[in-house]
Amino acid sequence: MTQPSSRPPNLLQPRPKGAPTFSSSSLAATASTTPQTSRASSRTREPNTERPPPPVDTSDEATASLIRRILCPHTQNTGDRNEGRPISELLPPLTSSDEVDLQLYAIVAIIIKEFVYSWYAKITPDHVFVEEVVRIIAHCTRALEERLRRVDFEELILDEIPALVDRHVHAYRNAHEPLQPPPLQPEPRQVYHMLCPHPALSPIPDPEVAATVIEQQQNEAAYCTLLVQGVLAVLLPSEDLENACLPTLITDVLGEMILLNGIGRKACEDWFVWECVTKIAEAVKARLEPKPSGEEVERDSRSRLENFGLLPTNEDSNAGQPAQRSIITYVSTILWGVLQYGYLAFVAVRFITLGLYAASWMPSSTSLLANPLNRSSNASATVKHKEAPNIESSRRPKRPIITIGIWSLASNLVDLADRMPWLTGSLSFLQYQLLNGVGRVGATEGLLDKFLHQSITSHILHTDAPSLSTTILPALILTLRTALFPHNTLAPRSPSPSRSPSPLERLDVKSKTSTALLALFPASLLQRFFNTADGDVMRREVEERILDCFGDAWMNKRLLYGVVECVVLRVVPEMAVGEGVEGAERSMK
């Protein structure tokens, strides 16, 4: 009787060595200096040219196949019996959505392949240990989903996170605009660290002093480990915490893979932040722009035929027209403009009137939060973990919509107080009247506050739409997976120069981001705001005043860690009972 082979699947084999870092330009330079090189030697150099790897298939079928090969290898040898079975029948559910589970299990499979099978497959072909790891991860994700149902996403996305970004922008500008002359001015990172201290980034790394770099890296690794350990201590049941092996493995994987490498070494890079902003701007632009109708497509095809001379142009057709046609065109343009703006005014007045009428009958947000349907679900009975404290009771009083942090962030990013101080003063006066004037319609639970809350919830956040868990979340998780694990493998810790963008490529990324941001607004509004019609001047203003605020990776790391802490404290409020970051800082010391 033959024993089962301990050979892991094909995807578990060691990855091939990286491509050579030299480029074809160096080969061309060598060939130009040695013109007598034989043809055979030139042929041998051709295969060494670096070629981009083929794109990875990210379809649902390819993702399911990847998950089966790594997490369910026992189903590969059972014939066609399990070939058509979905992943939801082979593995425990992670969330209440199969689409989200598919993308999450793809990330789990890659992590298991890189961190577990790389050494576990050499010891034994048994898969019990991997199944236990998957079971613990599934328990944590289901517990997180239950807690996410209680989080106020409106306050988190529109108030708390923008407040962190606003603080980052203030600190960055103050650090790069010192009051002292150049011989006496401090380092920007020192000023930023004094304004926004963080234990994971202390001390400030100095390339000339290796001890500071090593100490900062150790503090950052300890911070990521403590953060993951605190979350697992709340989410995992006591019987799983007694087994020190599995929580330690998950802590190392999440702390080093997601936080330290994913956020601390890649997501904090300036070009990565700019690319994310570009994708968001393009998505918003695609949503705002109407889809071309059949008439517009026909008009575009006719214009192409006219460009190639296959149809007579407008100038040729209007050559024999009388001069009265220009008058008729001018009058018709004015008439259609009046009708268009009148229709927009009618739609706006109708939207505001119906919204205010509906808001007057809306219950208060406190009664909505007190609804037991928002606090519990059927899945909570199967999750055995510590009960979360009352999140609503520990939360600060709800702020009015017109005072949330997104407005202050938008004003500071575009320098509204410096460019248009009269507009800033007018808006501040209007805000004061709405909050403290007659009726207090802008205060919390006021008529205007309810109207804005309903409009934001239904038209911007779409918290009630089922597409959040079927289209948006899977797409975001897929983007995260392709960024952290290119080609379904672990990205190198210190990327080669061929992988890291060059300074010219970073400038190109910044230019594309500024162009995408300017494309969101009408040209007439931009010309009035920037007081110029030159597009290059507008792009330079956006790059210098907005995008450069995210040009330092070390400062971006402080911002991202702050966002992670904010989200963790909302999802796991038990961690706020202790001393938080200060206690973590003392434990590091």
Side-chain angles (χ1 to χ4, degrees):
M1 181 176 180
T2 61
Q3 294 182 355
S5 175
S6 61
R7 182 180 180 181
N10 294 332
L11 289 179
L12 308 180
Q13 298 298 328
R15 298 190 306 276
K17 296 182 180 180
T21 57
F22 56 83
S23 60
S24 59
S25 60
S26 62
L27 297 178
T30 306
S32 62
T33 55
T34 58
Q36 298 180 357
T37 305
S38 62
R39 184 176 300 177
S41 62
S42 62
R43 290 179 180 177
T44 58
R45 292 177 182 178
E46 290 179 358
N48 293 333
T49 57
E50 186 176 358
R51 296 180 180 179
V56 179
D57 187 6
T58 57
S59 61
D60 293 344
E61 293 78 8
T63 304
S65 178
L66 172 67
I67 296 172
R68 287 191 180 95
R69 287 196 301 268
I70 298 177
L71 298 183
C72 305
H74 55 280
T75 61
Q76 303 294 323
N77 302 325
T78 57
D80 297 334
R81 183 176 59 185
N82 296 322
E83 183 177 357
R85 296 179 62 184
I87 298 298
S88 58
E89 298 180 4
L90 300 176
L91 297 171
L94 297 179
T95 62
S96 58
S97 174
D98 294 339
E99 292 81 4
V100 176
D101 288 354
L102 183 66
Q103 301 300 330
L104 287 178
Y105 266 125
I107 296 179
V108 172
I110 298 174
I111 292 176
I112 293 295
K113 180 187 68 173
E114 297 291 339
F115 284 88
V116 178
Y117 273 141
S118 59
W119 57 270
Y120 187 74
K122 300 177 182 179
I123 301 175
T124 174
D126 191 12
H127 302 282
V128 177
F129 180 74
V130 176
E131 294 175 356
E132 285 293 321
V133 173
V134 172
R135 185 185 64 82
I136 291 180
I137 294 176
H139 184 95
C140 294
T141 54
R142 291 196 299 268
L144 284 175
E145 185 184 15
E146 285 299 313
R147 290 172 174 268
L148 285 174
R149 299 179 188 273
R150 312 173 187 177
V151 175
D152 187 2
F153 285 98
E154 177 185 330
E155 182 180 2
L156 178 65
I157 298 176
L158 300 179
D159 186 21
E160 296 182 355
I161 294 180
L164 293 174
V165 180
D166 190 18
R167 183 183 178 186
H168 166 80
V169 172
H170 273 292
Y172 181 90
R173 291 177 177 175
N174 292 330
H176 287 79
E177 296 176 358
L179 299 177
Q180 292 81 7
L184 301 177
Q185 67 180 11
E187 291 292 332
R189 291 187 176 183
Q190 294 180 356
V191 179
Y192 185 89
H193 188 65
M194 288 187 292
L195 295 175
C196 301
H198 198 276
L201 305 180
S202 178
I204 302 175
D206 188 0
E208 298 180 356
V209 183
T212 59
V213 178
I214 297 176
E215 185 178 358
Q216 189 273 326
Q217 293 177 354
Q218 293 176 352
N219 290 341
E220 187 176 0
Y223 165 78
C224 297
T225 302
L226 289 175
L227 187 61
V228 175
Q229 286 179 352
V231 174
L232 293 180
V234 176
L235 298 180
L236 291 180
S238 57
E239 54 269 18
D240 289 334
L241 291 175
E242 293 177 357
N243 185 4
C245 181
L246 293 178
T248 302
L249 177 63
I250 295 177
T251 300
D252 294 339
V253 170
L254 295 180
E256 183 178 357
M257 263 306 289
I258 305 300
L259 290 180
L260 194 60
N261 291 336
I263 296 178
R265 289 184 180 143
K266 184 168 185 179
C268 64
E269 294 292 337
D270 50 0
W271 57 270
F272 188 86
V273 176
W274 296 334
E275 286 184 350
C276 293
V277 175
T278 304
K279 292 180 180 179
I280 295 174
E282 291 176 351
V284 174
K285 182 66 175 178
R287 184 178 176 182
L288 294 178
E289 287 183 346
K291 296 182 179 180
S293 59
E295 183 180 356
E296 294 176 352
V297 173
E298 182 180 359
R299 188 184 302 113
D300 182 73
S301 62
R302 289 180 59 87
S303 64
R304 292 181 180 178
L305 292 175
E306 291 175 356
N307 291 333
F308 285 98
L310 301 179
L311 288 178
T313 59
N314 295 331
E315 296 179 356
D316 298 336
S317 60
N318 296 333
Q321 300 285 336
Q324 286 80 5
R325 185 173 180 84
S326 61
I327 301 177
I328 297 176
T329 304
Y330 178 74
V331 173
S332 62
T333 302
I334 295 178
L335 179 61
W336 283 112
V338 171
L339 292 177
Q340 181 180 6
Y341 285 109
Y343 177 74
L344 291 177
F346 169 75
V347 171
V349 172
R350 180 178 178 272
F351 173 75
I352 295 175
T353 303
L354 295 179
L356 292 176
Y357 178 77
S360 61
W361 295 94
M362 287 179 58
S364 61
S365 59
T366 55
S367 61
L368 290 176
L369 291 175
N371 188 0
L373 295 178
N374 294 332
R375 292 189 178 185
S376 61
S377 62
N378 296 330
S380 61
T382 60
V383 180
K384 298 180 181 179
H385 58 86
K386 300 178 182 179
E387 293 293 335
N390 191 357
I391 301 177
E392 290 80 16
S393 62
S394 61
R395 184 178 298 167
R396 63 182 182 181
K398 189 175 181 61
R399 297 179 59 184
I401 298 296
I402 61 177
T403 62
I404 56 179
I406 189 68
W407 313 121
S408 176
L409 173 62
S411 176
N412 291 330
L413 278 177
V414 300
D415 293 330
L416 189 63
D418 297 333
R419 296 181 182 274
M420 296 181 176
W422 58 271
L423 181 59
T424 305
S426 302
L427 293 177
S428 300
F429 178 75
L430 179 61
Q431 181 187 37
Y432 178 80
Q433 291 297 326
L434 293 176
L435 292 175
N436 304 301
V438 179
R440 303 187 63 186
V441 294
T444 305
E445 304 301 338
L447 183 61
L448 180 62
D449 187 72
K450 291 182 179 180
F451 167 69
L452 294 177
H453 171 75
Q454 180 188 14
S455 302
I456 292 174
T457 303
S458 58
H459 295 88
I460 298 179
L461 296 181
H462 296 280
T463 54
D464 298 332
S467 61
L468 179 64
S469 59
T470 57
T471 58
I472 299 179
L473 283 181
L476 291 177
I477 299 174
L478 178 60
T479 304
L480 178 65
R481 185 186 110 195
T482 55
L484 295 179
F485 309 104
H487 307 288
N488 292 330
T489 56
L490 182 63
R493 181 169 299 182
S494 56
S496 60
S498 60
R499 294 178 178 266
S500 181
S502 62
L504 293 178
E505 292 175 346
R506 296 192 181 199
L507 292 177
D508 184 52
V509 172
K510 186 193 292 188
S511 178
K512 291 181 180 179
T513 305
S514 60
T515 303
L517 291 177
L518 292 175
L520 297 176
F521 304 96
S524 58
L525 179 62
L526 295 175
Q527 293 176 7
R528 185 176 297 273
F529 182 79
F530 290 100
N531 196 21
T532 182
D534 191 354
D536 295 335
V537 176
M538 297 180 187
R539 285 192 294 269
R540 185 163 55 250
E541 289 285 339
V542 173
E543 293 174 3
E544 293 178 357
R545 298 300 301 172
I546 298 179
L547 299 182
D548 281 348
C549 294
F550 307 95
D552 193 312
W554 186 83
M555 298 181 185
N556 294 339
K557 191 184 302 185
R558 169 64 181 90
L559 172 62
L560 294 179
Y561 282 152
V563 173
V564 170
E565 291 176 0
C566 182
V567 175
V568 168
L569 290 179
R570 281 295 176 216
V571 179
V572 189
E574 293 90 342
M575 297 185 64
V577 177
E579 298 178 350
V581 177
E582 296 179 358
E585 185 177 11
R586 283 200 296 269
S587 63
M588 291 181 190
K589 294 180 179 180

